[in-house]
Amino acid sequence: MQDATSFKQYRRQVRRALDNTFQREALDRFAVAYRTGRANAFSGVDIPELVAAIAAAKDAALDHLEELFEEFKAYAEAAGAVVHLARTAEEACDIIAGIARDNDVKKVIKSKSMTAEEIRLNTRLEAEGLEVTESDLGEWIIQLRHEGPSHMVLPAIHLSRYQVRDLFTEVTGAEQSVDIQKLVKVARRELRPRYCEADMGISGANLAVAATGTLGIVTNEGNARLVTTLPRVHVALLGLDKLLPTLHDALRILKCLPRNATGQALTAYVTWITGAVPCATGPGGKKITHIVFLDNGRLAMAKDPQFKQVLRCIRCGACANVCPVYRLVGGHALGHIYIGAIGLVATYFFHGKDKAKNLVQNCLNCGACKAVCGAGIDLPSCIKEVQARIQDADGHPLYAATAGAILRNRKLFHTMLRTARRLQKPVTGGTPYLRHLPMFLMKGQEFRALPAIADRPFRDRWPDIRPQAEGRGRRVVLFAGCLQDFVYPEQLEAAVTVLAARGVDMDFPMEQSCCGLPLTMLGEKAACRDLAAHNIRAMADDDAPIVTLCASCGSFLKHGYQRLFAGDPAMAETVERFCHRVIDFSSYVHDVLGLTAADFAGPGRTVTYHAPCHLCRGLGVTEAPRALLGDAGLTYLPAEEEDVCCGFGGTFSMKFPELSQELLQKKLDHIAATGAAALATDCPGCIMQIRGGCEREGSTIAVRHVAEFLAERITPKKD
Amino acid sequence: MAQPHPLIDRLEAQATAVAATVARVTSLDEALAYVTTLCAEKAPCQQLRAGGESLPAGSGEPHKIIAAPGLPEAAVTALRQRAAPLGITVITDGLRRHLGGIDVAFTLADAGLAATGTLVLRCADEELRLATMIAETHVALLPASGIAADADALEPTLAAWMSQPGYTAFITGPSRTADIERVTALGVHGPLELHILIREDG
């Protein structure tokens, strides 16, 4: 459970988590195994169609939560249950404690419920003098250790069999073995009497079908069946967001949840309960059944256009499974109670901005969570929006506000870059890297060489290199982005060479500036919107494609701008037209120009590829660059985990250098393992990170933009 | 069902993949023989402490128990006839007196879902719910005609079942966990083994 009160303290927690070697290795294995397991489980299923169906069903349900609650209540109560609505976490605890008192309950057995974690139910019930036992194996383990879950589905994934052996030895007073099969049997033995002695069983629920007042509970161990069968009282606690109109909707979610969570087609048990069922020890042979729905901000959230989608969450935990940061630091450092990408957002809503303010900064914006989400939630955008709201409430940090003020003003920003170029001479030592930065600026950044600002930015070179316009048809407008304009102008020059060789006319509007993504990363939404409006004006209102060589700029121009101006009808059409024009260089060359192997000649070479997050997920481009490398006569050697983030993440690498370094190291290892002589990619940010790492390692692998490989090999202009 | 065989094969393959044992039988009698043989050959149930003063644990006597709640009277009689000579007791109720564990639960499944190798059991009856959880081995007899392609195909039936007070279970393989180091372990709280006997018509 992350509970730091300052960013500094949070970074210390993160560093401590990084030192947990067992957890690191366990999560590494999990990340790799999960990918295959999930793919197998979904074989034959149209994932985008299923995700869209779930998103649509949940969105429709979220518009009618109160009606669905009334409908559920009517049917469930007709079937003998009592249905409650708790407005707050405290009210939910009160209700459940009251049920326990009314029924003379002494002992409680629980099955897994994140909602119970959300309201800290155990703490409250224990304060009432009740003995509470968790029955899910992982939950029981962490209950005995007095800690919170580190994963929503696998709560004890951070622990080794040795730690569990020691714990069980202590708890049973008998020496236990490290054999996992035997440890599981210890739980079977120790927990059976707890079920039998309990007066009350508390479960969560994954699904609530309003049409019949039915709860759906998804488990593997079968503990929920015992929890809901043996004690004379059953209390189910669930968020209002679990309500669905019909069984049909519930079955859509059931098709996705186990597959996305654990790579199972279905869990061992799915339990559907309607009303009060027979119970030999209950009054009149009937179970006392209470169903407690929790609001705790959900109704308000369902009416918030930006965050309504967060309530689509089906709690599969997949967003943690694929998160590169989660893989490094685990759930205790990447969540308060809810964990992973959804946890960063949910923490803000359910546990307040003080618990969320550090967490939300720990996001690479790599989009892996969004791509895997079973309910199609745009998690990275939600995380950034939370960060922006917290800053609006708490005040903007000086560095963020300053960045906002500078980037809003292109002339000021570019003047500062030019000044920095003049001043950097003493620290470059004549190399393209910053060699001798004063230590206070370099703290934590030693893991990669940082590039120097180029002698002449692309915008100064453009008048000299601009090809004669041919006016024969194709024309594009180049968008540079800061890194290529001021640090890597040669990449843009390479693109100009390729495009000119095929007779494409080009424009480079001088008023263009930073795309604005860094400001979004810093939570400076208002400044970012001004900057975006500036760029939209600068890029000329015509139909020519806007070609960019930077995946991050491209993805932000194309999708980020639409989010920035969502809810601004005056801008809608202009933004839509602008976004439609944006295309990445590889796609333009491959898909629009249609270049093939016949267009290239030149030296063969082995090359591997890094798929930038904002290209492969942000823009959905995966084939074009790889095809181009082959067409250009290069031998493409695929690397492991090509689509996992290199750790740059823009300002992320400045805030969390220790995480950035670890991600970079994995990337470098995968690249080296291919034996390729060179690496191609489509994003100057990734190049800065990976090339900087290679330089620091003394590696000879040439790290370059796809455009540079193509420029060397494109055949002369054909007429 | 006009062409049940592809569904049977699919259910068998999927259930086997999640560690269930699948066999095909042609009569109830054959199923009863399967159950009694399985019970006779298995190691005696490991009695767990069940706790609770009002709920004495299983007697711990050295005989084996098959629980068959919900089985028609004639079938129970036939099962007892097969079980008695092997020293096996057949019970149909009073499962709360055996919470420390029994050897085998024999149940009649209401439906099957081929796509996931799943059994569907309507078990509002507490005895039935308990039997399928506290038995070390759960054997379910599933009529081939009750196998649907998947939950979607069974949706109207399921919705009808859910429209009255009840407890419907989807059971896919034995009880399992991967909570320690993601290593799969079977039989954490429920059965260690699940056997599906598919009764083919004719």
Side-chain angles (χ1 to χ4, degrees):
Chain A
M1 174 185 288
Q2 194 281 314
D3 54 4
T5 52
S6 68
F7 185 69
K8 210 170 155 185
Q9 191 188 3
Y10 179 50
R11 263 190 70 191
R12 268 203 303 275
Q13 291 185 359
V14 164
R15 276 196 295 268
R16 243 197 329 273
L18 270 181
D19 289 339
N20 183 340
T21 314
F22 170 79
Q23 174 171 275
R24 290 274 296 274
E25 288 170 2
L27 295 181
D28 261 342
R29 283 193 300 273
F30 178 42
V32 174
Y34 170 74
R35 221 173 287 146
T36 319
R38 178 180 185 267
N40 290 341
F42 271 114
S43 87
V45 178
D46 184 333
I47 302 178
E49 188 183 283
L50 179 60
V51 169
I54 291 171
K58 290 288 279 190
D59 282 350
L62 291 168
D63 287 337
H64 303 284
L65 283 185
E66 281 154 308
E67 294 98 306
L68 289 173
F69 170 76
E70 291 303 333
E71 187 184 357
F72 183 97
K73 183 178 163 83
Y75 284 103
E77 293 198 334
V82 182
V83 180
H84 308 257
L85 175 57
R87 293 291 165 190
T88 62
E90 199 184 341
E91 208 177 302
C93 288
D94 287 344
I95 291 170
I96 296 170
I99 296 167
R101 267 196 307 277
D102 293 348
N103 292 286
D104 197 23
V105 169
K106 303 275 186 300
K107 296 185 179 185
V108 175
I109 185 92
K110 277 183 71 208
S111 59
K112 196 165 158 1
S113 160
M114 282 307 293
T115 314
E117 300 275 357
E118 175 186 329
I119 65 169
R120 314 295 302 272
L121 179 62
N122 289 10
T123 310
R124 172 60 189 276
L125 295 181
E126 281 162 5
E128 298 272 331
L130 295 165
E131 184 186 310
V132 184
T133 306
E134 294 287 350
S135 63
D136 173 87
L137 176 57
E139 288 283 333
W140 188 52
I141 291 169
I142 61 168
Q143 183 191 28
L144 293 171
R145 287 174 55 94
H146 308 290
E147 58 187 6
S150 73
H151 188 280
M152 292 205 292
V153 177
L154 298 158
I157 193 171
H158 58 291
L159 298 172
S160 72
R161 66 189 76 187
Y162 299 94
Q163 289 167 295
V164 176
R165 186 263 322 262
D166 293 347
L167 179 71
F168 283 6
T169 297
E170 188 190 319
V171 166
T172 60
E175 193 63 32
Q176 302 296 342
S177 91
V178 291
D179 180 340
I180 289 174
Q181 303 298 330
K182 287 182 179 155
L183 289 170
V184 169
K185 293 297 183 289
V186 171
R188 181 182 175 90
R189 268 199 313 276
E190 293 295 317
L191 287 169
R192 184 65 62 90
R194 306 297 187 98
Y195 292 109
C196 302
E197 291 166 354
D199 312 293
M200 179 195 265
I202 299 179
S203 73
N206 303 84
L207 307 156
V209 178
T212 51
T214 304
L215 296 174
I217 307 174
V218 180
T219 76
N220 269 312
E221 298 181 2
N223 56 323
R225 296 193 82 214
L226 286 171
V227 162
T228 57
T229 295
L230 281 171
R232 61 195 154 84
V233 184
H234 171 211
V235 175
L237 170 68
L238 63 161
L240 277 172
D241 51 304
K242 297 293 194 297
L243 281 162
L244 296 161
T246 65
L247 176 65
H248 185 77
D249 304 313
L251 291 179
R252 300 281 77 68
I253 291 174
L254 195 57
K255 205 170 195 170
C256 181
L257 173 57
R259 290 184 165 94
N260 224 33
T262 52
Q264 292 175 279
L266 196 56
T267 50
Y269 298 100
V270 182
T271 299
W272 303 95
I273 303 174
T274 308
V277 290
C279 175
T281 53
K286 279 270 179 217
K287 173 88 72 185
I288 299 165
T289 304
H290 290 264
I291 301 168
V292 182
F293 282 92
L294 177 67
D295 177 355
N296 204 22
R298 287 169 171 82
L299 287 175
M301 214 165 158
K303 293 184 176 72
D304 183 325
Q306 170 78 25
F307 287 111
K308 175 184 163 186
Q309 57 176 323
V310 174
L311 294 176
R312 288 184 199 156
C313 176
I314 59 172
R315 303 278 187 267
C316 65
C319 57
N321 301 354
V322 299
C323 173
V325 176
Y326 176 82
R327 186 170 166 181
L328 289 177
V329 302
H332 288 156
L334 200 68
H336 176 61
I337 284 173
Y338 290 107
I339 286 152
I342 194 71
L344 268 49
V345 182
T347 299
Y348 172 70
F349 285 97
F350 298 142
H351 300 105
K353 69 177 161 58
D354 288 342
K355 297 281 189 285
K357 67 180 183 215
N358 300 312
L359 277 176
V360 289
Q361 302 188 50
N362 204 352
C363 167
L364 286 154
N365 195 27
C366 75
C369 49
K370 179 181 173 181
V372 83
C373 179
I377 306 172
D378 185 353
L379 287 155
S381 298
C382 290
I383 291 168
K384 290 300 148 202
E385 181 67 21
V386 166
Q387 192 182 348
R389 285 195 189 185
I390 292 175
Q391 285 184 191
D392 286 346
D394 275 6
H396 294 227
L398 186 62
Y399 60 86
T402 308
I406 294 170
L407 285 176
R408 258 187 176 125
N409 183 336
R410 182 196 66 78
K411 288 201 175 101
L412 171 65
F413 174 45
H414 286 173
T415 303
M416 287 178 73
L417 285 172
R418 288 169 195 277
T419 309
R421 180 189 58 78
R422 281 198 301 279
L423 296 178
Q424 74 185 353
K425 281 279 148 56
V427 297
T428 59
T431 71
Y433 296 99
L434 304 178
R435 294 280 176 207
H436 314 291
L437 265 189
M439 276 313 289
F440 72 93
L441 282 177
M442 281 296 278
K443 199 162 184 309
Q445 296 294 327
E446 303 86 347
F447 66 91
R448 58 179 177 189
L450 289 169
I453 295 172
D455 283 340
R456 271 181 92 198
F458 180 77
R459 57 180 57 239
D460 292 359
R461 303 179 188 199
W462 174 247
D464 301 337
I465 65 164
R466 178 179 192 160
Q468 195 75 43
E470 301 193 3
R472 287 193 308 181
R474 290 195 193 280
R475 183 176 146 266
V476 301
V477 183
L478 296 174
F479 184 88
C482 314
L483 263 183
Q484 283 181 330
D485 196 349
F486 284 88
V487 178
Y488 300 128
E490 67 277 8
Q491 295 171 10
L492 280 164
E493 288 181 327
V496 170
T497 303
V498 174
L499 295 175
R502 289 300 169 268
V504 179
D505 288 349
M506 285 165 269
D507 274 325
F508 183 82
M510 287 295 168
E511 268 308 309
Q512 63 180 282
S513 190
C514 168
C515 69
L517 177 60
L519 289 181
T520 288
M521 288 295 284
L522 290 170
E524 294 292 318
K525 199 175 166 186
C528 187
R529 207 181 287 123
D530 291 350
L531 185 51
H534 171 91
N535 279 328
I536 291 173
R537 279 192 303 275
M539 294 309 283
D541 199 3
D542 65 23
D543 291 333
I546 297 170
V547 173
T548 177
L549 279 74
C550 175
S552 295
C553 294
S555 156
F556 195 66
L557 295 175
K558 200 168 185 71
H559 302 302
Y561 278 23
Q562 296 199 8
R563 287 192 296 270
L564 281 173
F565 292 101
D568 184 350
M571 284 292 284
E573 210 192 311
T574 310
V575 173
E576 169 75 36
R577 215 169 38 242
F578 174 86
C579 296
H580 183 73
R581 291 167 61 200
V582 176
I583 187 168
D584 66 285
F585 172 79
S586 284
S587 295
Y588 184 77
V589 170
H590 186 261
D591 303 346
V592 180
L593 288 186
L595 298 200
T596 65
D599 291 288
F600 298 98
R605 190 179 195 187
T606 53
V607 62
T608 186
Y609 182 69
H610 164 65
C613 301
H614 295 158
L615 191 78
C616 67
R617 286 178 293 273
L619 292 169
V621 175
T622 54
E623 297 304 320
R626 292 175 171 100
L628 284 169
L629 293 174
D631 288 346
L634 297 153
T635 307
Y636 163 48
L637 304 174
E640 289 292 318
E641 307 199 319
E642 279 185 353
D643 61 354
V644 173
C645 183
C646 65
F648 178 54
T651 50
F652 176 89
S653 62
M654 299 291 173
K655 281 186 184 167
F656 296 99
E658 53 282 313
L659 300 180
S660 181
Q661 173 176 12
E662 293 295 335
L663 293 170
L664 173 59
Q665 193 57 54
K666 277 182 208 266
K667 183 56 68 177
L668 294 176
D669 292 346
H670 288 319
I671 293 167
T674 65
L679 173 104
T681 188
D682 290 88
C683 184
C686 305
I687 290 176
M688 176 170 148
Q689 174 87 343
I690 298 170
R691 192 187 281 172
C694 286
E695 171 70 15
R696 190 58 81 207
E697 273 196 342
S699 157
T700 56
I701 294 170
V703 179
R704 307 177 71 187
H705 197 283
V706 169
E708 296 176 273
F709 292 98
L710 301 189
E712 285 172 357
R713 291 166 176 80
I714 187 103
T715 52
K717 195 176 339 185
K718 291 180 286 195
D719 286 306
Chain B
M1 217 159 286
Q3 285 212 323
H5 294 299
L7 291 182
I8 296 176
D9 293 345
R10 178 117 171 97
L11 184 131
E12 176 166 7
Q14 293 299 102
T16 307
V18 290
T21 305
V22 180
R24 302 188 189 200
V25 297
T26 53
S27 67
L28 176 66
D29 210 45
E30 198 182 333
L32 298 179
Y34 183 101
V35 173
T36 43
T37 307
L38 185 72
C39 187
E41 287 173 1
K42 84 182 271 295
C45 173
Q46 272 201 335
Q47 287 296 314
L48 307 173
R49 257 185 331 117
E53 288 150 355
S54 60
L55 303 164
S59 61
E61 287 162 34
H63 64 245
K64 290 179 175 173
I65 295 176
I66 295 176
L71 208 60
E73 197 51 48
V76 174
T77 307
L79 182 58
R80 285 205 169 110
Q81 280 168 0
R82 285 183 175 275
L86 300 167
I88 300 169
T89 304
V90 176
I91 60 172
T92 58
D93 54 17
L95 279 148
R96 277 189 184 257
R97 290 196 295 276
H98 299 276
L99 296 179
I102 57 168
D103 292 283
V104 175
F106 179 61
T107 65
L108 305 178
D110 293 284
L113 309 177
T116 46
T118 302
L119 292 172
V120 183
L121 257 77
R122 297 181 74 191
C123 44
D125 176 27
E126 183 182 277
E127 303 287 2
L128 187 54
R129 259 180 283 148
L130 285 176
T132 57
M133 284 309 291
I134 64 171
E136 285 188 344
T137 302
H138 176 196
V139 185
L141 181 63
L142 170 66
S145 60
I147 302 176
D150 54 21
D152 290 347
L154 202 64
E155 190 186 313
T157 308
L158 290 168
W161 290 349
M162 287 176 195
S163 67
Q164 42 203 292
Y167 197 113
T168 301
F170 290 1
I171 301 177
T172 309
S175 160
R176 64 173 60 223
T177 186
D179 273 354
I180 305 175
E181 293 192 17
R182 289 192 315 107
V183 173
T184 297
L186 301 179
V188 53
H189 297 291
L192 286 69
E193 288 183 28
L194 176 69
H195 294 245
I196 302 173
L197 308 182
I198 300 173
R199 181 175 169 178
E200 294 179 89
D201 303 321

